[in-house]
């Protein structure tokens, strides 16, 4: 792989150290999601270089999806690199089951299940600024609200697992230059060139076209995602205030929901569902749910599928409640 001659490589070592400095306690256990691709390869080497100076332990996890004829070779590559860097690697073979959300979504779900099961203080992922821009556009075109458009946070939660994304402010080009300058070897997943996948089409076709008119397009989109994250946090703060007034043990008071403006009631319902069962329904579903909860006759009992297997939103007396079936 030829070294890039466009730019001097970014000082990623300092950037990652500065990112971690305020977030890690001494002896913290970090586990990197390591695919073997460019992004996670750069982050693996960065973390391996600074772990002793910053007093954290480092392991890695590789998810073998079995979707490519090269999957076994990729796992061997990851084992070889981690061996040279003295980083413990766990390789998990998964079965990708189609669940109505496409092959890409099913593979992501399988990967997330593995990530959530890791024993560590922080799961570290190598998402970068270009990923952030692509995620914002992807979710915008699917009609996501503020929380969805906030895309990815530098620090967040994944189920019970804390997540860090130290490279979220770094471009893919900067990662490429850094890797080339150090003559790193990485995996090129052939599926990344498949333009039938929407994310690949956005990356290779749509965003480059946008940048012919808006050269800073990726950076602006990523910055917008950060601004939307602030807006989403404010919506959560408002919902928490309303929840303190409307929530009772077991549900939300219908009369309390009716006393809020439609936008605040919808914001509260989404917040409550997200905290209770991890689902954040769209605008159309939320509007219909509130219509049924607030307007159904007393002898009717609204019963709505919330999109999570086994859970229903129902009205019981004066409460909106979640029940399993």
């Amino acid at each position: 792989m030829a070294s890039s001659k466009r730019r001097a490589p970014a000082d990623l070592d300092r950037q990652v150290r500065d990112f971690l400095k305020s977030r890690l306690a001494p002896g913290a256990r970090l586990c990197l999601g390591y695919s073997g691709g460019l992004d996670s390869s750069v982050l693996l080497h960065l973390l391996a270089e600074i772990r002793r100076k910053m007093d954290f332990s480092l392991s890695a996890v590789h998810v073998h999806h079995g979707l490519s004829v090269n999957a076994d070779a990729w796992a061997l590559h990851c084992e070889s690199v981690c061996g040279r860097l003295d980083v413990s690697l766990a390789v998990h073979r998964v079965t990708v089951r189609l669940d109505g959300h496409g092959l890409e979504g099913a593979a992501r779900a399988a990967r997330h299940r593995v990530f959530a099961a890791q024993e560590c203080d922080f799961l570290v992922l190598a998402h970068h600024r270009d990923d952030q821009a692509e995620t914002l556009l992807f979710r915008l075109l699917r009609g996501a609200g503020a929380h969805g458009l906030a895309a990815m946070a530098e620090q967040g939660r994944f189920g019970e697992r804390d997540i860090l994304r130290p490279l979220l402010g770094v471009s893919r080009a900067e990662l490429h230059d850094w890797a080339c300058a150090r003559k790193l070897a990485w995996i090129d997943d052939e599926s990344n060139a498949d333009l039938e996948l929407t994310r690949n089409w956005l990356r290779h076709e749509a965003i480059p076209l946008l940048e012919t008119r808006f050269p800073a397009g990726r950076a602006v989109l990523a910055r917008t995602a950060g601004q939307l994250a602030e807006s989403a946090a404010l919506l959560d703060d408002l919902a928490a205030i309303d929840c303190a007034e409307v929530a009772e043990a077991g549900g939300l008071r219908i009369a309390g929901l009716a006393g809020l403006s439609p936008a605040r009631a919808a914001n509260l319902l989404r917040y409550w569902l997200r905290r209770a069962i991890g689902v954040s329904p769209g605008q159309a579903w939320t509007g219909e749910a509130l219509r049924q909860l607030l307007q159904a006759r007393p002898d009717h009992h609204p019963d709505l599928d919330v999109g999570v297997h086994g859970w229903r939103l129902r009205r019981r007396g004066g409460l909106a409640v979640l029940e399993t079936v």
Side-chain angles (χ1 to χ4, degrees), residues 115-144:
F115 287 166
Q118 299 309 299
E119 290 293 331
C120 58
D121 297 311
F122 293 99
L123 178 69
V124 189
L125 301 177
H127 295 119
H128 48 72
R129 191 173 68 194
D130 295 43
D131 290 326
Q132 186 79 298
E134 292 159 12
T135 299
L136 173 64
L137 265 184
F138 183 74
R139 293 181 180 179
L140 178 65
L141 293 170
R142 297 185 67 178

Side-chain angles (χ1 to χ4, degrees), residues 227-275:
Q227 294 166 346
L228 286 163
E230 292 183 359
S231 298
L234 290 173
L235 288 172
D236 282 350
D237 288 346
L238 177 61
I241 293 170
D242 290 337
C243 196
E245 295 294 323
V246 174
E248 288 187 6
L252 299 175
R253 286 187 293 107
I254 298 297
L257 284 170
L260 298 173
S261 70
R264 283 181 71 164
N267 183 52
L268 171 56
L269 182 58
R270 283 192 292 267
Y271 172 84
W272 181 67
L273 289 170
R274 192 165 57 249
R275 286 171 60 88

Side-chain angles (χ1 to χ4, degrees), residues 9-306:
D11 185 4
L12 297 186
D13 180 283
R14 177 186 56 78
Q15 291 183 46
V16 172
R17 280 190 283 108
D18 289 347
F19 176 90
L20 296 175
K21 192 179 302 180
S22 62
R23 293 174 166 88
L24 300 187
R29 299 169 301 156
L30 272 58
C31 179
L32 171 69
Y34 180 41
S35 69
L38 168 66
D39 316 331
S40 61
S41 294
V42 169
L43 188 51
L44 173 67
H45 283 78
L46 284 165
L47 294 174
E49 286 178 11
I50 66 177
R51 58 185 154 172
R52 292 182 179 86
K53 288 183 286 187
M54 296 198 66
D55 189 22
F56 63 81
S57 64
L58 177 64
S59 62
V61 57
H62 175 81
V63 181
H64 185 305
H65 298 91
L67 298 177
S68 169
V69 296
N70 299 309
D72 288 340
W74 295 342
L76 289 173
H77 167 84
C78 292
E79 290 174 342
S80 174
V81 174
C82 286
R84 291 197 303 271
L85 295 174
D86 192 26
V87 173
S88 172
L89 175 70
V91 176
H92 289 263
R93 294 175 178 265
V94 299
T95 300
V96 178
R97 297 184 177 88
L98 293 178
D99 56 2
H101 298 288
L103 184 62
E104 189 179 18
R108 183 168 54 250
R111 186 164 59 250
H112 286 180
R113 286 192 292 271
V114 171
F115 287 166
Q118 299 309 299
E119 290 293 331
C120 58
D121 297 311
F122 293 99
L123 178 69
V124 189
L125 301 177
H127 295 119
H128 48 72
R129 191 173 68 194
D130 295 43
D131 290 326
Q132 186 79 298
E134 292 159 12
T135 299
L136 173 64
L137 265 184
F138 183 74
R139 293 181 180 179
L140 178 65
L141 293 170
R142 297 185 67 178
H147 285 84
L149 295 178
M152 297 176 287
E154 289 185 329
Q155 182 169 354
R157 298 279 289 175
F158 182 81
E160 298 301 314
R161 188 68 55 238
D162 286 297
I163 290 179
L164 296 176
R165 295 184 175 95
L167 301 179
L168 209 52
V170 180
S171 71
R172 182 182 287 112
E174 289 174 302
L175 297 179
H176 183 267
D177 291 345
W178 194 92
C180 287
R182 286 156 182 79
K183 297 181 172 58
L184 300 189
W186 63 86
I187 291 164
D188 286 317
D189 185 340
E190 67 275 5
S191 71
N192 289 332
D194 182 1
L195 298 184
E196 292 299 311
L197 298 176
T198 301
R199 283 184 179 274
N200 290 340
W201 178 80
L202 289 170
R203 177 180 305 160
H204 298 299
E205 299 284 343
I207 293 179
L209 179 60
L210 282 173
E211 288 182 322
T212 63
R213 181 62 63 94
F214 303 99
R218 291 177 215 246
V220 171
L221 288 169
R223 187 164 65 247
T224 299
Q227 294 166 346
L228 286 163
E230 292 183 359
S231 298
L234 290 173
L235 288 172
D236 282 350
D237 288 346
L238 177 61
I241 293 170
D242 290 337
C243 196
E245 295 294 323
V246 174
E248 288 187 6
L252 299 175
R253 286 187 293 107
I254 298 297
L257 284 170
L260 298 173
S261 70
R264 283 181 71 164
N267 183 52
L268 171 56
L269 182 58
R270 283 192 292 267
Y271 172 84
W272 181 67
L273 289 170
R274 192 165 57 249
R275 286 171 60 88
I277 56 174
V279 63
S280 186
Q283 184 179 35
W285 186 96
T286 306
E288 176 60 19
L290 285 171
R291 186 191 68 79
Q292 293 191 35
L293 290 171
L294 302 180
Q295 298 178 18
R297 298 200 310 264
D299 59 337
H300 283 205
H301 303 286
D303 185 342
L304 298 117
D305 181 359
V306 299

